[in-house]
Amino acid sequence: MPGRLEGKIALISGSTQGFGRGILETFIREGAVVLGLDLQATDGPVSGYPESQAYQIKANVAEEESWKKALSTCISHFGAPPSIVVHNAGWSYPNKSGLDVTPAEFERLFAVNVKSIYLASRILIPEMKKNGPGSTVVISSENAIRPGPTQTWYNATKAAVSSATKSFALEFARDQLRFNTICPTSGNTPLLKKFAGIDEGPVPEEILRAKREAIPIGRLVEPSDVANVALFLAEPASGIISGVEVLVDGARCV
């Protein structure tokens, strides 16, 4: 039985760990070929998969040249531009007052979380329009909907990309290009360590416990949770769905 993404070409940023790695593995399992982008990657096959199925490049999503490289690599390795794009790469500073965020942190935050999608869109959408239909999935955050008090400027970046994604859904609907966001709550990923200000070692159990207790369903979001929603939004079965924010939050934002 063919997979739900059989014959599709997908591009996933932030693909080496966390939600991105979960999405990559799920898409491959469902028949897609995948190009991964990550600052931590080395150009070459993705570990555990043949090069014909999954390839990755070292890329800084905040730089235009990385997106040009991604498009050319996708075409050279898989024969065509992607019809599925997942913007997962993200960055944040440790939790603190918005007044204490430095100019350097602010600039990097908006470069990675917002400018990256602007740059990618300028390069990828024109090619996707030629080969539609297509689906773009942006990993936003519950913070776009329910802001946290010690993550002010991170919240702002996620609100920005959620709004831009809705605008693109309207702008390119006639081209059969869909745009949706996934808004997870606290996840079992490296970004949780970043929020907690932990450079080495695991997140302390007391922090994990507090995060779990704040989520009504009683657990953190796992990469598979986000990957399963991304799979649905990428596959043809969701072809009428565009411009929505899907909360993956265990009822936290109810």
Side-chain angles (χ1 to χ4, degrees):
M1 185 175 178
R4 292 159 65 182
L5 298 179
E6 198 70 36
K8 302 293 185 182
I9 301 171
L11 186 157
I12 302 169
S13 71
S15 59
T16 63
Q17 57 187 348
F19 294 151
R21 179 70 187 198
I23 295 167
L24 179 144
E25 292 175 352
T26 298
F27 280 18
I28 293 172
R29 186 188 71 229
E30 292 297 334
V33 294
V34 176
L35 176 67
L37 285 69
D38 202 293
L39 198 58
Q40 309 304 319
T42 301
D43 290 18
V46 176
S47 176
Y49 299 98
E51 184 173 324
S52 60
Q53 195 171 37
Y55 193 81
Q56 65 184 3
I57 60 172
K58 181 179 179 65
N60 182 342
V61 296
E63 295 179 353
E64 185 176 25
E65 287 305 311
S66 284
W67 290 106
K68 291 179 179 178
K69 177 182 176 181
L71 178 60
S72 64
T73 303
C74 193
I75 293 171
S76 65
H77 273 76
F78 302 129
S83 61
I84 300 167
V85 176
V86 180
H87 291 291
N88 170 72
W91 185 82
S92 191
Y93 49 81
N95 289 347
K96 57 184 170 181
S97 166
L99 302 181
D100 294 330
V101 173
T102 68
E105 288 173 328
F106 180 91
E107 289 172 9
R108 182 179 181 188
L109 184 69
F110 274 82
V112 175
N113 292 5
V114 183
K115 184 182 179 182
S116 64
I117 297 176
Y118 158 75
L119 295 173
S121 298
R122 285 168 50 85
I123 292 166
L124 298 178
I125 290 177
E127 296 301 317
M128 294 175 75
K129 284 174 65 175
K130 299 175 187 175
N131 299 283
S135 174
T136 296
V137 179
V138 178
I139 308 303
S140 182
S141 170
E142 66 157 357
N143 294 53
I145 298 166
R146 188 177 190 260
T150 58
Q151 298 168 342
T152 297
W153 300 113
Y154 175 79
N155 301 341
T157 64
K158 293 306 184 179
V161 297
S162 285
S163 180
T165 303
K166 292 177 184 178
S167 293
F168 274 155
L170 289 170
E171 183 174 354
F172 297 109
R174 295 294 185 185
D175 297 298
Q176 302 304 306
L177 299 183
R178 300 186 294 115
F179 296 82
N180 296 290
T181 57
I182 299 175
C183 299
T185 188
S186 298
N188 188 16
T189 73
L191 194 58
L192 185 61
K193 293 177 64 174
K194 189 71 178 180
F195 286 134
I198 298 168
D199 294 323
E200 301 291 338
V203 178
E205 179 56 33
E206 59 269 23
I207 294 178
L208 293 174
R209 186 182 307 110
K211 292 289 186 183
R212 290 193 296 265
E213 289 175 353
I215 300 170
I217 210 165
R219 67 172 177 85
L220 298 177
V221 176
E222 296 293 335
S224 60
D225 296 318
V226 173
N228 287 333
V229 177
L231 171 62
F232 174 65
L233 293 175
E235 70 176 329
S238 62
I240 196 64
I241 298 175
S242 192
V244 305
E245 293 171 295
V246 181
L247 279 162
V248 181
D249 70 338
R252 178 167 160 77
C253 291
V254 172

